[in-house]
Structure formats: structure tokens, C-alpha cells
Amino acid sequence: MRSAALALLVGAALGTFDRPADAGPRTSSLAWVRMPGAEACIDARTLALAVERRLGRVAFVPPTLGEVTIEGRIERSQGAGGWRATIRVFDAGGTAIGSREIEADQVDCRAIDDQLELVIALLVDPDASLVLPRAAGSPAASAGGGAPGAAERPAPLPPAERPAPLPPTAKAAAPLPACPPAPAAPSAAWRVGGAVEAVGGLGLVPGPAGVGVGVRAHATPPRGPGFELGGALWASPDVREAPGSPAFSLAYGRLSVCPIEIARGGTALSGCAGAMLGSLRVEGLAVPSRFRHERLVLDLSLDTRVRRRFVGPLFGAVGLGIAVPIVQDVYFYTDAAGARREIFQVSPVSALLDLGLGLELP
């Protein structure tokens, strides 16, 4: 009798938002919470299965597909030993359209499971039957009927016997509006620049320190290694060991690949490996006539360079490197007495230092 009265009360409360008879079953989602101290009460999965058994169909869908959302919680009531369950119903827009509270003084909170199942079943489908047929052989069926108690609830349907899920309604299946595409990130630009350099070193030409002038261009792509292209001209004064001693000059071009490119603010650090190809010329006044000799040279190089912007595109650079010749030539001359005099031998490793000033874009 109590369950029947509860069903009539919930049915009357739902009368204000009943759907048309031809609208089909309403899709619902269920959110059920056991508050602290109510861990022994019915859990969300067991409650959902029991409601679906009462309705004889799959009743619940994910929250994003439900036309209504049923939220409930169970907790201890203010009185000693009692329980209170609060159930609220929201439409698809999140507006509350109904609520219900169930209170019981029993020590065991599972004693109100039947009332919870019945109320939620009517909230899902107000036209559903209020009481399910009892299973054959149950104690109540043998006694000739009566309202179902907490200990007489039918077991949930096994998965193989559950009805197929209902197709989502047109409202639930409506696609979400497409998000506008994110603005494309601006693509990184190439950095290109050129500089005029003063070049110094040891071991390329005779003398304690050869001095030269050069030019250098660099290009750094957004991804991958950078490149350098340039050249320099070196000259050394005459070696005054004897009359007619020769003078040396060196001109070369270079190409380098820079796998190390690190830029922070206005400062950039690069590490490069490449080759230097050029010509070493020897000139002098010999007895009995002048002579000139020119030889092709090829060196492998490693260097590192730091560039720092000053104002706008203007930058300064300093670099340090080494050059290793493929062939280590020896230069000498024969004096009037027929003696061989060595003038210069190419160093197995030459040191390079450069200072530059240039422009870089962007």
C-alpha cells in the first residue's frame, strides 16, 4: 500500500511535465551519490539495474544524450538511525523540473531501496507500471501477493536478457556546433645576413700571425641546419731572412653547414663544419730572375660563432675556429750557393679568429 501511495504521489508531481503520448520513451541519465556514512547503501549500478528491471527496458543513457538528468543522493538524516534520500530532476537545459525526498527511520538503509526504485522509475517513465510481477516461487507469491518488501526485490536482469538500447532521440542526437578553427600559428621566417670581417690566425701563412679581410653570409631556416658562405684574402710581408726571399698571399672561399643554431633574444650561437678551398701564391726575387708559384690548397674547418644584434638589423660577431689542411706543403728556395733554404711549412692545425660587423633580416 505504501508503494502504491508513493507512486500516485510521484505521478501527480510529474503531471506538470508529462510528454505527449506519441513522443516515445524519454531518455534519461542517472547520477547517484552515497554521502559519507552511507557506503553500505545501494550503489549507482545496482540502483540503475533495478529501475531498468521495473521498466522492462534499458532506461539510462550517458549524460550527453539524456533529455532529463536525475540526480540523487542518500545520507544519514538529522535524527539518530534514520536515512534521507533526495532526488532532483533537470531538463536538458539544466533547469530543475522536479524533486522528491524519501526519509526512513530504519537502521538498515537498504530498507528504502524499493521506494527509491519506484520513484526513479516513475521519473524516467510516468506511464510505466508501478509494480513488477513477482518471480514464481518467491515468498510473497506463495503467500498470495502483497506489496514487495526490501528483501523481496527481483534480481536485476542478466546482460544477455536486457533489451537492446533505445536509439537516441532526434534532440539527443543533434550534432554539437562545430568549433571555429584555431588560428594558424605564424610560420617562422628564415634569418639571413652578411658581414665584413677582420680575420686573424696562426699557421696559414708565414709569420707569427697572418692578418686578412673577408666577407661572410649566413642563412638559417625555421627548421634544420643553417649554412654559411664566404671568403677571405690573406697576405704576409716578405720574409727577410735573405735577399730575394719570397712573399706569400692566400685567397680562399668557404662553405659550412651549421647543425648547431641557438637563438635567444638578440643573441645567436652557431657551430659549423665545412671546407676552405683556395690558392696559396708565392712570389720573390731570385737569382737570376723573378719567380712566381701558385698552389691549390684545401682545408677542413670547424668553428663556432656568436652574433649579437645592436640596433635594428645591425649585429656584431666574433668567431673562433680551426683549419686542418688535406696536404701539409713545405715551401723552400735555393740560394746562390746552391743551398736549400726552407721558408714555410703549412701547420697541421691552424687557428682562426674573426671579428665581423653586418646586417641580418628579419
Side-chain angles (χ1 to χ4, degrees), residues 69-295:
T69 300
I70 300 172
E71 296 182 357
R73 71 175 187 272
I74 186 167
E75 59 191 337
R76 289 192 177 275
S77 60
Q78 298 296 331
W83 303 92
R84 179 174 68 249
T86 304
I87 304 170
R88 303 180 67 189
V89 186
F90 300 86
D91 62 15
T95 303
I97 56 176
S99 63
R100 176 68 179 164
E101 285 194 359
I102 301 173
E103 294 191 4
D105 295 332
Q106 290 91 338
V107 176
D108 184 4
C109 63
R110 299 300 298 269
I112 62 172
D113 287 4
D114 276 346
Q115 299 178 59
L116 293 174
E117 298 165 11
L118 183 59
V119 168
I120 295 175
L122 288 172
L123 292 174
V124 172
D125 187 355
D127 298 326
S129 301
L130 299 181
V131 180
L132 285 176
R134 297 182 179 277
S138 65
S142 303
E152 302 165 358
R153 292 189 311 278
L157 286 173
E161 299 179 17
R162 296 180 65 181
L166 295 172
T169 63
K171 178 178 179 181
L176 295 174
C179 296
S187 59
W190 281 66
R191 298 196 313 274
V192 295
V196 178
E197 299 177 331
V199 187
L202 291 173
L204 291 174
V205 292
V211 179
V213 294
V215 293
R216 185 188 304 264
H218 66 269
T220 306
R223 295 182 180 84
F227 301 90
E228 289 188 350
L229 180 66
L233 176 64
W234 299 70
S236 70
D238 293 350
V239 179
R240 301 296 183 181
E241 293 183 359
S245 296
F248 290 77
S249 62
L250 171 65
Y252 68 81
R254 67 184 302 159
L255 176 64
S256 300
V257 179
C258 305
I260 300 175
E261 288 282 347
I262 303 173
R264 294 290 184 272
T267 303
L269 170 68
S270 63
C272 307
M276 301 163 49
L277 179 63
S279 171
L280 181 61
R281 177 180 295 180
V282 185
E283 294 183 272
L285 181 60
V287 178
S289 62
R290 289 180 58 87
F291 72 92
R292 175 182 295 179
H293 179 70
E294 190 168 358
R295 187 174 182 85

Side-chain angles (χ1 to χ4, degrees), residues 3-18 100 118-119 122-123 125-128 130:
S3 297
L6 182 62
L8 292 176
L9 180 59
V10 174
L14 293 172
T16 59
F17 53 93
D18 282 346
R100 176 68 179 164
L118 183 59
V119 168
L122 288 172
L123 292 174
D125 187 355
D127 298 326
L130 299 181

Side-chain angles (χ1 to χ4, degrees), residues 216 228 254-260 270-276 299-305 319-325 349-354:
R216 185 188 304 264
E228 289 188 350
R254 67 184 302 159
L255 176 64
S256 300
V257 179
C258 305
I260 300 175
S270 63
C272 307
M276 301 163 49
D299 296 351
L300 302 180
S301 65
L302 291 173
D303 62 272
T304 182
R305 180 166 287 95
L320 181 64
I322 60 173
V324 179
V349 178
S350 301
L352 302 172
L353 175 67
D354 61 80

Side-chain angles (χ1 to χ4, degrees), residues 323-350:
V324 179
I326 300 298
V327 178
Q328 190 177 352
D329 289 325
V330 177
Y331 296 87
F332 63 91
Y333 74 96
T334 303
D335 61 15
R340 172 175 166 171
R341 295 181 176 274
E342 183 176 314
I343 302 172
F344 172 62
Q345 180 176 7
V346 176
S347 174
V349 178
S350 301

